[in-house]
Amino acid sequence: NWPDEDLKAQAVASHSYALYQRDHADADKLGGAWFSADPARRQGYMTEEVLRSYWGDAYNENYARLKSLFEPIVDKVLTWEGAPAAACYHAISNGQTEASENVGGTALPYLVPVDSSTDTAADNYEYTLNLSAAQLQQLLAERLGIAADLSQQAQWFGTPVLTPSGYVDSLSVCGQTVQGTALRKALGLRSACFDIQYADGVFAVTTKGYGHGVGLSQYGASAMALTGSTCAEILAHYYPGTTLETLG
């Protein structure tokens, strides 16, 4: 039920991302696959059976709609210097997208911070996770190898260093410097844009946005489409300098 131009932009992005992974795959490591995903965390594709379980009686209508949108653009790919672009995407940014080097370590000229301020109006843009000191102590030990002293709870976290887009680059955790992306993974946070407050034995971790923040924001793309932006305009905004091409 999202806008046509938004869905088309997401289709082109995911297709381009898959082709980029194909071109950069470690054939020996992946056994011939283009890329891998942890099935416990995400699915690479949806089977007809799964889609029917999701959509029920609306399956035929929904499938027909997506087919009508995607078939005309199945040969459209986002490129950089003639090759498929790594068109990363996420659900909701913190209001500005993140540079790729701050998440994956590799700087790509089209995965740079851009405005996505409409994301601040998204449902669950801001979310607070409450963890007891004992819960947090266990997570830090098991996932980061950090021993947290329960008698020093209020001093566990230092002042974070932020990236230009406002995500946590690093912070001190029990005297050790930890990357924001690593703490996000360890605590299962929605975003690396977070703030930690402690009171009465409870740590309140408030995040803004949902996802790594790099590339296209799905909510932001929807907001652009609702105000009249085309698929091409959405892609040009979130992947500046790329070209929308037709495959041979």
Side-chain angles (χ1 to χ4, degrees):
N1 59 6
W2 283 33
D4 290 359
E5 295 301 304
D6 162 54
L7 292 178
K8 288 160 63 177
Q10 291 192 50
V12 172
S14 59
H15 185 193
S16 305
Y17 179 82
L19 295 180
Y20 175 90
Q21 295 299 330
R22 174 201 64 185
D23 294 345
H24 295 80
D26 185 331
D28 294 332
K29 181 179 179 181
L30 297 177
W34 292 2
F35 55 92
S36 64
D38 179 357
R41 300 180 61 198
R42 62 183 68 85
Q43 290 181 287
Y45 67 95
M46 294 290 183
T47 63
E48 179 181 343
E49 181 181 12
V50 171
L51 287 176
R52 286 188 180 278
S53 72
Y54 281 179
W55 290 339
D57 293 340
Y59 173 83
N60 290 333
E61 178 185 355
N62 288 348
Y63 192 88
R65 178 178 181 232
L66 295 182
K67 184 177 181 180
S68 69
L69 287 174
F70 298 159
E71 279 193 340
I73 60 168
V74 72
D75 58 352
K76 299 294 184 183
V77 174
L78 205 64
T79 65
W80 173 264
E81 296 183 341
C88 301
Y89 47 92
H90 58 282
I92 309 168
S93 77
N94 70 352
Q96 186 174 32
T97 65
E98 180 63 294
S100 60
E101 62 266 29
N102 294 328
V103 176
T106 301
L108 293 173
Y110 50 86
L111 294 179
V112 295
V114 301
D115 177 72
S116 194
S117 52
T118 53
D119 286 352
T120 60
D123 291 340
N124 296 316
Y125 163 75
E126 191 169 289
Y127 179 83
T128 298
L129 172 68
N130 292 311
L131 296 168
S132 69
Q135 288 175 314
L136 189 52
Q137 181 190 47
Q138 182 177 359
L139 289 171
L140 293 175
E142 292 179 351
R143 300 179 181 180
L144 293 174
I146 294 176
D149 185 351
L150 284 174
S151 67
Q152 303 291 325
Q153 297 170 22
Q155 286 77 49
W156 282 2
F157 296 100
T159 302
V161 176
L162 304 180
T163 69
S165 293
Y167 294 83
V168 175
D169 180 63
S170 63
L171 76 165
S172 174
V173 181
C174 301
Q176 299 185 36
T177 299
V178 176
Q179 294 302 115
T181 51
L183 189 61
R184 178 202 171 197
K185 182 178 180 180
L187 302 186
L189 304 178
R190 288 165 58 92
S191 164
C193 180
F194 58 82
D195 175 70
I196 303 175
Q197 298 293 327
Y198 171 78
D200 301 324
V202 175
F203 290 85
V205 188
T206 300
T207 55
K208 294 181 178 180
Y210 191 6
H212 49 59
V214 179
L216 179 143
S217 160
Q218 293 174 308
Y219 184 91
S222 176
M224 288 184 67
L226 287 172
T227 56
S229 295
T230 65
C231 166
E233 290 169 338
I234 292 169
L235 293 170
H237 175 75
Y238 282 108
Y239 308 106
T242 58
T243 303
L244 186 58
E245 294 190 34
T246 301
L247 288 176

